[in-house]
Amino acid sequence: MGEQLPAGWEARWDQQNQAYIYTEQSTGQQQWEVPTQPSFPSQDQSSAPPPPAAAPSGKAGRRQYPTAQLQSMYTAQPGSFEYQNQGQQPQQPQHQQQQPAYGDASLSSAAPSFFTPGMAGGDAGAGAQGGAAYPQQPMQQPQGGQFQQYGGGAPVDQMSNQFNQMNMAGGAGGYTGGAPGAGGFEQKQLHAINTINLIGMQPDVRGLEAPPPPYLIPQSASVTQSPYNQPDPSYQRCTLTTMPATQSLLNKSKLPLALVMAPYRSVREADGDMPVPVVEDNVIARCRRCRAYINPFVTFIEGGNRWKCCLCGLSNEVPQLFDWDQAEGKPADRWARKELNHSVVEFIAPTEYMVRPPQPPVYAFVIDVSQAAVQSGMVATAAQTILENLGNLPNADNRTKVAFIGVSTSLHFFSLPPGATEASMLVVSDLTDVFLPKPVDLLVNLTESRTAIESFLARLPEMFSDSFTVGNALGSALQAAHQLIGKIGGKIIALTASLPTLGEGALKARDDPKLLGTSKESSLLTSASSFYKSFAIECSKAQVAVDMFLFSATYTDVASLSCLPRYTAGQTYLYPGFNASRPEDAIKFGTEFGKVLSQPLGLEAVIRVRASRGIRMSAFHGNFFIRSTDLLALPVVPLDQSYVIELQLEDDLKGPVVVLQTAILHTTCYGERRIRVITQAMPVTDTVGELYGSADQVAIATYLANKAVEKSMNGSLDDARNVVTNALSSMLSVYKNQVTSSAGASAQLAIPDNLKLLPLLACGLVKHVGLREGASIPPDLRSYAQCLLTTLPSQSLISYIHPRFYSLHNMPPDAGTIGEHGVILPPTLNLTSERLERHGLFLIEDSQNIFLWVGHEAVPRLVQDVFDLPSYADLVGGKFTLPVLDNPFNQRVNAIVAKTRELRRGVYRPHLYVVKSDAEPALRSWALSLLIEDRMDGMGSYAQYLTTVKGKVNG
Amino acid sequence: MGGEGWLFLFSVLMAAVLLFTMVFFIIMFSDLECDYINPIDLCNKLNQFVLPEMIAHAFLTLCFLLSGQWLAFLLNAPLVGYNVNKIMSKNHMYDATEIFRTLSGHKKESFIKLGFYLVSFFYYLYRMILALISGTS
Ligand SMILES: [Zn+2]
């Protein structure tokens, strides 16, 4: 029917009248008669009703019907609208519109990260040093670089001068997020490349918060030009915001190409996060060939009856109900459809997307009840937390099921029949061939058995309070839990305070101190028993995820136990030396565990990334099981977990724009099958310079962290650190030789402005507790740090690698008070002990721990105000809870600590440690080890690290 | 036909079997790449054949050693050493969680083994014919 219609018309079958109804797409007018005249949206479309509210004003209607005819009209008439637009504002690249993100006058004058071609480098440097304490030597920008191309026909010198001015204003923060260029340029836009020198310059750590370089895709690439057509970097970002046209170009550039994503990231309304738009009408338009979902970057052809897939180029039919508002029963505005306006969108999937009816959320708690667990107070705290959070477990439709298993030398099952008020315990001591003592009432409906569960949890601590059993048959208990919930799938939450020593998967204390610091150390970072891998595979097959909460005061073999969360998409949590009698420990665990319990779950999920032809996913990092070459299986998707996917180019990329699309099919805990789709469009380039100009230092650091951890497991820690350093130096060497074209040895170390903090992050990585050299790091802490390095989303990961450092005793008057965006934090300092003052109070935080550093000459008044203690001598270092006192300074410090704790996504609640500058050497050196620009035992300073890198670049 | 003839006849058959095992491995790996099989099934299937293959090859090598076929023995000894080393370091089995990361390495290894078995097949065949000729003459 549709193909006989004139252009601009669409036919729809009307169920009620049993006839076709014809809609003129441009006006929405409907008629029963078969139309004969084609409908062309003409130039006066600009007076037509504006498309979605999201579209930029001033171009209303221009892209309203970007059909093939229209596009040819535009390209055939050079004097048309968009060119006029460009003529009016010929030299207004988007960077200029940005206010400097760190609009500190001394900063912008002290950052000579730009050049004027022809001006001698030394002069510019002298003029620009201003208040900077470090000599900075700008380098000569190569002639014939990118600026000239950017300016189109403008005079070269003038143009680049202007451009430099703009960047002076913009500084590091001057990029827009994901929005494409605002000027309506149809010609190719390029990133500005500002070369700066690293040697002798103190890095400006405030740049770590800057957004990635923009995706400079042409305006016309998106049908709706919605400002949301690119994902927020917290969902997905790429190490390069411009795609290389060929694999050989990518190899030549030595830059990594990988996607960093957290598709199931939390929505924090306090941060201004937008909830994910949901397409509720079950109309899911997908490409017939590559199965890509319709997105803002497709084009509509044949009068809007068909759409052309932006990944493979196939022309597909637009679904019948695509322009139909099913709720209202009337035609809808196609251009208001969420999937054409938003990069991140969720579809409610019809039954074809289900293997089985949506399963309920299921939790099986495996709780260690051996002597160590009971004595540390873990059992009591855990029972209390579960009890308090029973109402917060996702249970909107009263389907949620729970089961409890206690484990020591035998397995303790608890029968919780619906309606009962008491639980009864069943003990199974056969660990070799695990069986369930009872077919029913072990896995129970939370709502129906609520009374029994509550009384059980209240009694659980005292049930085992006189337990003297030593030994832990965790593996067998996990198998039992798997038997319990394996038919449905769900989550096993294992809490253990001792090393599993019995039954399946028994482990030995293998942490031989003689191995530490040697090449054999990496064997302690991989699993000691094959059980944890094979069991993880079984779990993944049965849609069961495992979360591990580890508490042991001694060695627990995190490396082996963390295999379960790794391959089942769970998470490992470590509480070394947990003791619930210390309120800080109990609060930390209780808060984090409570958040884990109340998180919404995405069940039975698979992630698949599709991309334009020529791009292939070559390697995957993160917590999941790789089920086929491009399909990741996640029994339960946790919130805020990060995945890294490496990309390769099999074929040369043809078009000017490529599209990457991540789809995550999952069942919500409310029984809906949903598909979350994240679409990202990137321009393609064939120059190395443009690749460097578009590189995203945060994404590259995340990628390097994952690569290094992988290497430390398959090779040695030495190899792992070399992965980071070699990657950095080969990048800098290519940049030096091919972009700045300065051959031979140089006293300087050139780097593009957008990567200027990458060396600092690399230095932070090689000095990180997960990768650091040295024989004093317990293998458990290393393994746990590696778990975090591979799962934390970039937001937390960057501060985990490069902690934040504030000076509190002399912070600005507004720091710690409530500002426009919540509590104002003091300015961040460089991570060097040069900043520490003997009388000062400092805060260092790495997203997992907060250290309050008190100088030994701190005046009694300061100690009194903050800690409510008479003098420094009365202060005891260690875990600490700040008192809330009636003085403004205390309240400001408390506000900063509180803000720091909720600054980032994720469940973690950092411990607060008080560190005295002259006591507790272990704690003191732990805090100092976070100051990564300093030298510390055996490892060089940041300056020395740069010298090493420079040696590799020059040599 | 003397003992040597029988030995090489046996070797030819063994080499043929090993050859086919490798072909099977390679086919399975490419099935995995094309999504015809999932990594768990693949590893379960292939792991059944890993040890038999190694034992068969080691047995053949032992036969050469005992019968004093030094050249044939020396030809096979490195592979036996390689296999033993793999077993000692406990990475001779295919691991479903790592298979995609290590797939290219496994494929390469299988192709090299395939080539090796092919060469040895013809060598054994040649030796068998030699033995037959010298036996009849
Ligand atoms: Zn397609």
Side-chain angles (χ1 to χ4, degrees):
Chain A
M1 201 75 207
E3 62 271 17
Q4 288 144 10
L5 285 177
W9 287 86
E10 197 181 53
R12 229 182 271 109
W13 182 253
D14 188 0
Q15 283 287 344
Q16 268 185 339
N17 293 292
Q18 294 294 305
Y20 275 100
I21 186 165
Y22 298 96
T23 313
E24 189 180 352
Q25 291 183 324
S26 52
T27 58
Q29 194 187 342
Q30 296 189 323
Q31 60 186 42
W32 296 108
E33 295 82 24
V34 180
T36 48
Q37 294 297 313
S39 160
F40 278 110
S42 52
Q43 292 289 2
D44 49 2
Q45 271 297 322
S46 49
S47 61
S57 60
K59 280 185 282 301
R62 182 165 74 82
R63 281 273 154 247
Q64 192 145 359
Y65 292 98
T67 56
Q69 295 95 321
L70 260 185
Q71 273 187 339
S72 64
M73 272 166 66
Y74 276 122
T75 42
Q77 295 170 9
S80 75
F81 187 70
E82 57 200 16
Y83 283 87
Q84 286 169 20
N85 200 8
Q86 189 197 348
Q88 284 156 9
Q89 306 168 325
Q91 291 150 5
Q92 196 176 18
Q94 63 195 91
H95 303 73
Q96 198 186 21
Q97 298 167 344
Q98 299 294 314
Q99 287 300 315
Y102 306 104
D104 175 341
S106 68
L107 168 66
S108 47
S109 66
S113 53
F114 40 79
F115 320 67
T116 308
M119 188 189 277
D123 293 347
Q129 275 181 21
Y134 296 84
Q136 299 173 354
Q137 298 169 326
M139 296 169 66
Q140 187 66 40
Q141 173 66 30
Q143 293 289 342
Q146 308 303 325
F147 302 151
Q148 289 85 344
Q149 292 177 44
Y150 197 114
V156 168
D157 278 336
Q158 193 188 343
M159 192 58 202
S160 20
N161 280 341
Q162 279 183 351
F163 201 80
N164 289 338
Q165 302 288 323
M166 288 164 198
N167 275 283
M168 178 189 274
Y175 290 119
T176 41
F185 284 52
E186 286 295 326
Q187 76 200 67
K188 203 160 176 180
Q189 297 185 61
L190 296 171
H191 290 90
I193 304 177
N194 296 319
T195 303
I196 60 170
N197 172 34
L198 287 166
I199 301 291
M201 192 180 120
Q202 184 137 39
D204 174 17
V205 295
R206 289 168 291 189
L208 285 171
E209 311 287 311
Y215 295 93
L216 298 177
I217 55 163
Q219 277 278 294
S220 60
S222 145
V223 278
T224 51
Q225 299 179 4
S226 149
Y228 306 112
N229 63 17
Q230 295 279 22
D232 188 90
S234 56
Y235 280 114
Q236 183 165 311
R237 63 203 298 170
C238 191
T239 53
L240 304 174
T241 60
T242 304
M243 196 58 90
T246 63
Q247 179 70 32
S248 64
L249 176 69
L250 179 64
N251 294 344
K252 203 175 96 183
S253 77
K254 302 282 183 196
L255 285 162
L257 181 59
L259 278 179
V260 174
M261 59 169 85
Y264 214 63
R265 76 137 219 219
S266 54
V267 173
R268 301 210 308 177
E269 260 143 47
D271 293 353
D273 289 348
M274 202 173 56
V276 179
V278 181
V279 179
E280 280 164 343
D281 60 4
N282 268 336
V283 178
I284 304 179
R286 296 181 70 178
C287 173
R288 274 178 294 125
R289 182 161 59 198
C290 68
R291 308 302 294 147
Y293 296 82
I294 200 165
N295 59 63
F297 302 101
V298 301
T299 40
F300 287 94
I301 49 172
E302 294 181 25
N305 285 324
R306 301 181 75 83
W307 59 278
K308 196 161 157 248
C309 173
C310 52
L311 270 67
C312 69
L314 187 75
S315 148
N316 294 280
E317 213 161 317
V318 172
Q320 286 238 320
L321 293 171
F322 198 67
D323 302 303
W324 188 254
D325 186 337
Q326 291 176 37
E328 301 272 322
K330 62 179 175 64
D333 181 9
R334 171 181 294 183
W335 310 109
R337 281 197 75 93
K338 289 166 185 149
E339 61 268 46
L340 296 182
N341 283 288
H342 292 269
S343 156
V344 184
V345 75
E346 218 160 69
F347 294 96
I348 296 181
T351 42
E352 298 99 86
Y353 291 81
M354 298 176 198
V355 189
R356 52 175 175 169
Q359 74 269 41
V362 175
Y363 296 85
F365 296 91
V366 174
I367 304 172
D368 180 2
V369 292
S370 65
Q371 190 187 22
V374 173
Q375 280 183 355
S376 70
M378 182 276 277
V379 178
T381 319
Q384 179 68 22
T385 311
I386 300 172
L387 185 60
E388 280 168 10
N389 283 285
L390 280 181
N392 296 335
L393 287 175
N395 189 19
D397 42 8
N398 295 330
R399 293 187 306 149
T400 301
K401 289 175 189 284
V402 291
F404 297 89
I405 298 174
V407 57
S408 53
T409 49
S410 49
L411 307 183
H412 307 261
F413 293 87
F414 300 95
S415 164
L416 307 154
T421 50
E422 288 289 306
S424 51
M425 184 162 83
L426 303 133
V427 181
V428 172
S429 40
D430 181 3
L431 299 176
T432 47
D433 192 14
V434 177
F435 64 94
L436 300 179
K438 207 175 164 198
V440 289
D441 294 339
L442 297 178
L443 178 64
V444 293
N445 182 297
L446 174 61
T447 314
E448 289 166 13
S449 299
R450 185 74 179 255
T451 335
I453 295 169
E454 280 176 1
S455 82
F456 157 69
L457 285 171
R459 277 185 48 229
L460 177 64
E462 73 202 46
M463 268 187 225
F464 298 96
S465 58
D466 49 356
S467 160
F468 295 106
T469 46
V470 177
N472 180 356
L474 183 70
S476 309
L478 289 170
Q479 282 183 325
H482 178 264
Q483 281 191 30
L484 261 177
I485 71 169
K487 282 201 184 71
I488 310 175
K491 199 164 201 173
I492 297 176
I493 297 180
L495 304 110
T496 174
S498 50
L499 187 70
T501 46
L502 296 165
E504 289 282 358
L507 296 168
K508 290 189 191 74
R510 54 173 175 150
D511 59 331
D512 184 356
K514 284 200 286 292
L515 291 180
L516 301 187
T518 68
S519 60
K520 292 242 172 73
E521 186 174 354
S522 63
S523 68
L524 297 178
L525 301 175
T526 50
S527 177
S529 156
S530 63
F531 169 78
Y532 294 97
K533 267 191 181 178
S534 56
F535 183 67
I537 292 172
E538 259 175 65
C539 285
S540 181
K541 265 204 301 206
Q543 303 296 344
V544 172
V546 185
D547 275 355
M548 279 280 173
F549 288 80
L550 307 173
F551 298 86
S552 180
T554 54
Y555 181 68
T556 7
D557 205 342
V558 176
S560 300
L561 295 179
S562 66
C563 270
L564 283 178
R566 178 169 314 127
Y567 297 113
T568 61
Q571 182 62 286
T572 309
Y573 301 88
L574 180 69
Y575 301 89
F578 179 81
N579 187 348
S581 61
R582 226 180 352 231
E584 288 84 12
D585 280 7
I587 291 174
K588 178 181 166 69
F589 163 58
T591 316
E592 295 181 357
F593 189 37
K595 281 189 186 167
V596 170
L597 292 178
S598 49
Q599 269 184 3
L601 305 179
L603 303 162
E604 205 172 346
V606 286
I607 298 182
R608 178 171 261 141
V609 181
R610 296 181 175 86
S612 294
R613 202 185 297 162
I615 304 174
R616 192 174 75 89
M617 320 302 136
S618 57
F620 305 87
H621 308 271
N623 285 7
F624 42 66
F625 178 70
I626 309 172
R627 202 190 285 164
S628 78
T629 41
D630 63 343
L631 189 72
L632 310 177
L634 299 93
V636 173
V637 211
L639 285 183
D640 298 317
Q641 222 179 54
S642 169
Y643 313 107
V644 173
I645 298 180
E646 292 176 50
L647 307 177
Q648 266 181 2
L649 301 176
E650 292 177 312
D651 288 319
D652 297 355
L653 301 179
K654 300 284 184 323
V657 171
V658 293
V659 175
L660 299 161
Q661 188 174 65
T662 305
I664 167 163
L665 176 64
H666 63 283
T667 304
T668 64
C669 39
Y670 316 110
E672 255 175 354
R673 198 76 173 140
R674 286 192 177 197
I675 311 150
R676 183 173 287 194
V677 176
I678 301 170
T679 314
Q680 187 172 22
M682 290 163 72
V684 177
T685 186
D686 47 14
T687 64
V688 174
E690 177 60 10
L691 286 182
Y692 273 89
S694 73
D696 174 357
Q697 55 192 3
V698 167
I700 294 179
T702 312
Y703 161 86
L704 288 177
N706 278 277
K707 284 302 262 189
V709 170
E710 184 187 39
K711 194 76 200 167
S712 75
M713 289 178 185
N714 299 314
S716 68
L717 284 160
D718 255 338
D719 298 340
R721 289 186 292 269
N722 285 338
V723 162
V724 177
T725 310
N726 291 344
L728 177 70
S729 36
S730 53
M731 279 182 238
L732 293 188
S733 141
V734 171
Y735 186 73
K736 172 171 172 265
N737 296 326
Q738 299 192 20
V739 183
T740 69
S741 5
S742 58
S746 160
Q748 297 175 328
L749 193 54
I751 194 158
D753 185 59
N754 48 312
L755 290 181
K756 65 182 173 195
L757 293 170
L758 185 61
L760 185 62
L761 291 172
C763 176
L765 259 179
V766 299
K767 289 179 162 191
H768 193 272
V769 70
L771 300 167
R772 180 194 300 167
E773 195 177 332
S776 58
I777 300 161
D780 274 352
L781 289 187
R782 249 208 223 284
S783 273
Y784 182 59
Q786 294 197 341
C787 291
L788 291 178
L789 283 175
T790 52
T791 53
L792 286 182
S794 295
Q795 186 194 34
S796 309
L797 182 73
I798 292 306
S799 33
Y800 194 45
I801 300 171
H802 184 281
R804 285 204 197 179
F805 184 26
Y806 308 119
S807 163
L808 297 184
H809 61 285
N810 55 0
M811 59 184 165
D814 61 345
T817 61
I818 310 284
E820 207 176 317
H821 307 287
V823 175
I824 298 169
L825 291 171
T828 46
L829 303 178
N830 279 89
L831 288 166
T832 161
S833 54
E834 285 165 26
R835 301 296 168 105
L836 293 173
E837 292 170 69
R838 275 172 297 180
H839 61 273
L841 176 69
F842 296 86
L843 187 146
I844 314 169
E845 63 101 0
D846 69 351
S847 87
Q848 300 296 313
N849 294 291
I850 300 174
F851 297 92
L852 268 184
W853 176 281
V854 193
H856 61 272
E857 286 176 15
V859 289
R861 176 70 198 276
L862 178 83
V863 180
Q864 178 69 48
D865 275 1
V866 179
F867 303 102
D868 200 16
L869 291 166
S871 73
Y872 177 80
D874 300 293
L875 199 58
V876 181
K879 289 173 190 161
F880 196 80
T881 306
L882 272 185
V884 180
L885 303 176
D886 190 21
N887 72 69
F889 190 68
N890 174 282
Q891 284 160 7
R892 284 164 64 200
V893 172
N894 262 312
I896 290 169
V897 170
K899 169 85 177 170
T900 300
R901 282 193 166 136
E902 56 170 42
L903 200 54
R904 306 187 182 90
R905 295 189 177 85
V907 301
Y908 301 102
R909 182 188 188 276
H911 263 311
L912 177 76
Y913 290 89
V914 166
V915 186
K916 294 175 75 172
S917 67
D918 59 355
E920 288 106 2
L923 186 60
R924 186 176 173 274
S925 63
W926 182 14
L928 286 178
S929 76
L930 299 182
L931 301 179
I932 55 169
E933 286 182 34
D934 281 349
R935 283 168 68 133
M936 56 181 178
D937 31 79
M939 275 167 298
S941 65
Y942 175 58
Q944 286 167 316
Y945 184 70
L946 286 184
T947 312
T948 315
V949 171
K950 193 180 78 183
K952 291 192 181 203
V953 169
N954 285 334
Chain B
M1 195 156 103
E4 196 181 319
W6 285 112
L7 175 69
F8 279 102
L9 177 63
F10 175 69
S11 320
V12 166
L13 294 177
M14 285 293 268
V17 169
L18 291 172
L19 206 65
F20 279 116
T21 321
M22 279 307 112
V23 172
F24 172 68
F25 274 41
I26 290 165
I27 291 173
M28 293 298 276
F29 286 137
S30 46
D31 273 5
L32 181 71
E33 280 182 328
C34 306
D35 263 8
Y36 295 140
I37 188 168
N38 75 54
I40 303 169
D41 294 345
L42 173 103
C43 293
N44 287 345
K45 253 189 198 157
L46 292 194
N47 283 338
Q48 296 171 359
F49 293 94
V50 170
L51 277 180
E53 183 232 315
M54 288 179 178
I55 291 168
H57 180 256
F59 178 71
L60 191 62
T61 313
L62 186 72
C63 290
F64 290 135
L65 177 68
L66 294 180
S67 56
Q69 296 293 340
W70 301 116
L71 185 62
F73 171 73
L74 288 178
L75 206 66
N76 282 291
L79 184 58
V80 174
Y82 173 76
N83 285 342
V84 167
N85 179 41
K86 251 171 107 177
I87 294 175
M88 299 294 273
S89 54
K90 285 189 184 154
N91 64 354
H92 57 293
M93 289 298 191
Y94 295 104
D95 179 349
T97 58
E98 298 279 314
I99 189 83
F100 284 105
R101 206 173 50 75
T102 49
L103 188 58
S104 57
H106 291 321
K107 274 179 80 174
K108 207 161 118 196
E109 186 190 312
S110 297
F111 270 111
I112 291 172
K113 277 190 177 175
L114 181 74
F116 174 77
Y117 290 141
L118 201 66
V119 170
S120 17
F121 175 81
F122 285 112
Y123 174 70
Y124 304 150
L125 196 67
Y126 166 74
R127 290 295 304 267
M128 185 184 83
I129 293 167
L130 272 193
L132 287 180
I133 293 169
S134 63
T136 49
S137 61

